[in-house]
Amino acid sequence: MNRSFKIYCYPHKRDDPFANALLPVDFEPGGNYASESYFKKVLMKSHFITKDPSKADLFFLPFSIARLRHDPRVGVAGIQDFIRDYIFNISQNYPYWNRTGGADHFYVACHSIGRSAMEKADEVKLNAIQVVCSSSYFLSGYIAHKDTSLPQIWPRQGDPPDLALSERKKLAFFAGSINSPVRERLLQVWRNDSEISVHFGRLTTPYADELLGSKFCLHVKGFEVNTARIADSLYYGCVPVIIANHYDLPFADILNWKSFSIVVATLDIPLLKQVLKGISLDEYLMLQSNVLKVRNHFQWHVSPVDYDAFYMVMYELWLRRSSVRVPLSTPMDPIH
């Protein structure tokens, strides 16, 4: 993959009216939805990019959902129209989309709006590869074998202090908003428990200390199946417990999630303590050891590092490329 995989990105200039949403950001991405910007920023500087579309395995649609939703000319209400018009324009000006109906194209989005953004562009939703954080195979529009899950990662650099020395005295920890029936149930059952620490609202102790001091860290479905809590857990060496039915987990084609995490069905929330206490010390130590082995796969770097999040997403895309390139029957240059 590293030597042969090539991607063509539809070109846009800095004076493009929507350059802010089509070109990589000129700063180091941060925040809850940074994965989208990180991927594009790193990809566009990588050796995977080709300017010769005849050599491309896949074609990148570079629009940024995160940037468009904050653009007053577009906003949440106008994203569907923007995407529809963008696909129409490239299909009229380039030959590449039409020859496969978009099946060798992909876009990347971390905000949940990315899923509904394709409602007026059916070919994108049905044919193109969607690399999205909101990867629930229960909802229409996401097709697990075609699309792939982008990990939601709050960027952090280096290792947390005292990672190896941390004493994990607490059985399990969760902090977050009450924005779903699943979280309401978690709060209802475990709010006053002495071993499972469930917080809603502002913490009185540092978030990092809670993660470093817990054996298990809970990833609980909110508005969507995805949050940054899995990557947070791994970064701080805490075994993630995933309570989010129908979540197509990131890198599921590559990683054995059973080796470093626990999955609990939402209906089994009342059994959570029984499940966690049923894990022997040896089993827990193996899980935690594997957490420390896989945590580098859930980190972004401006200059990518082997096996980091960028290379893992690239491998997922490589798995989804066509084994036979569709030949171009029209000239290489854009149609004018």
Side-chain angles (χ1 to χ4, degrees):
M1 177 198 84
N2 209 7
R3 288 179 289 183
S4 61
F5 189 35
K6 294 298 176 186
I7 291 172
Y8 179 81
C9 177
Y10 286 99
H12 296 280
K13 296 181 179 179
R14 295 208 166 271
D15 60 356
D16 188 295
F18 287 97
N20 62 308
L22 296 169
L23 297 179
V25 296
D26 56 5
F27 53 85
E28 188 167 344
N32 224 7
Y33 306 108
S35 291
E36 177 184 310
S37 295
Y38 249 112
F39 177 81
K40 181 162 71 173
K41 186 177 183 69
V42 177
L43 173 65
M44 296 308 295
K45 291 183 178 180
S46 76
H47 64 278
F48 294 107
I49 290 292
T50 178
K51 293 185 178 181
D52 182 354
S54 69
K55 295 180 178 178
D57 297 287
L58 293 176
F59 292 76
F60 179 41
L61 304 167
F63 49 75
S64 167
I65 299 297
R67 305 280 280 177
L68 288 170
R69 66 186 283 264
H70 291 300
D71 190 318
R73 299 167 296 175
V74 181
V76 173
I79 288 179
Q80 293 181 4
D81 291 329
F82 182 94
I83 301 300
R84 179 198 59 203
D85 295 344
Y86 184 86
I87 298 302
F88 176 79
N89 288 334
I90 65 166
S91 69
Q92 294 298 302
N93 293 311
Y94 296 88
Y96 322 125
W97 178 272
N98 295 329
R99 62 187 178 144
T100 64
D104 54 359
H105 287 57
F106 74 96
Y107 77 92
V108 176
C110 197
H111 197 282
S112 58
I113 292 172
R115 184 163 34 77
S116 60
M118 307 302 142
E119 289 303 314
K120 294 183 180 179
D122 283 343
E123 280 191 319
V124 178
K125 183 168 63 174
L126 299 176
N127 297 345
I129 302 166
Q130 302 178 103
V131 184
V132 292
C133 289
S134 300
S135 53
S136 171
Y137 49 82
F138 178 74
L139 301 173
S140 63
Y142 182 84
I143 305 168
H145 66 274
K146 173 182 75 70
D147 304 325
T148 189
S149 176
L150 178 71
Q152 186 171 346
I153 300 169
W154 190 289
R156 298 178 175 90
Q157 302 301 325
D159 287 329
D162 304 324
L163 177 63
L165 302 176
S166 59
E167 293 184 31
R168 301 183 182 273
K169 296 180 179 179
K170 200 172 294 179
L171 179 63
F173 164 74
F174 174 81
S177 303
I178 309 175
N179 57 8
S180 72
V182 181
R183 293 188 181 183
E184 288 176 4
R185 182 63 171 151
L186 183 76
L187 179 65
Q188 180 186 35
V189 176
W190 298 110
R191 166 178 247 157
N192 298 314
D193 193 81
S194 60
E195 295 178 284
I196 296 178
S197 179
V198 177
H199 294 270
F200 292 92
R202 186 173 293 277
L203 282 170
T204 57
T205 53
Y207 181 58
D209 290 353
E210 295 288 352
L211 294 170
L212 284 167
S214 302
K215 292 180 179 178
F216 298 97
C217 295
L218 309 183
H219 164 96
V220 186
K221 181 187 183 300
F223 286 121
E224 300 287 344
V225 291
N226 57 291
T227 75
R229 286 175 184 80
I230 289 179
D232 290 347
S233 302
L234 297 174
Y235 180 77
Y236 288 103
C238 186
V239 176
V241 177
I242 300 156
I243 308 175
N245 293 356
H246 314 298
Y247 187 11
D248 187 26
L249 292 162
F251 315 140
D253 298 311
I254 308 167
L255 301 178
N256 176 12
W257 278 81
K258 291 181 179 179
S259 71
F260 62 92
S261 69
I262 303 295
V263 175
V264 175
T266 56
L267 286 175
D268 290 336
I269 285 175
L271 303 176
L272 181 59
K273 186 184 288 190
Q274 181 181 331
V275 170
L276 298 183
K277 289 208 161 186
I279 297 169
S280 70
L281 178 59
D282 287 345
E283 289 171 325
Y284 172 76
L285 291 174
M286 181 60 71
L287 287 166
Q288 214 247 345
S289 172
N290 289 333
V291 161
L292 299 178
K293 291 175 183 175
V294 303
R295 58 194 290 276
N296 63 308
H297 302 318
F298 293 81
Q299 293 180 4
W300 292 106
H301 305 91
V302 174
S303 296
V305 176
D306 286 351
Y307 309 112
D308 71 356
F310 172 72
Y311 279 108
M312 295 291 281
V313 174
M314 291 301 294
Y315 188 68
E316 288 281 16
L317 285 168
W318 183 76
L319 291 174
R320 284 159 175 76
R321 79 204 185 288
S322 173
S323 58
V324 179
R325 260 190 210 119
V326 179
L328 285 166
S329 57
T330 52
M332 294 295 155
D333 296 326
I335 299 169
H336 296 289

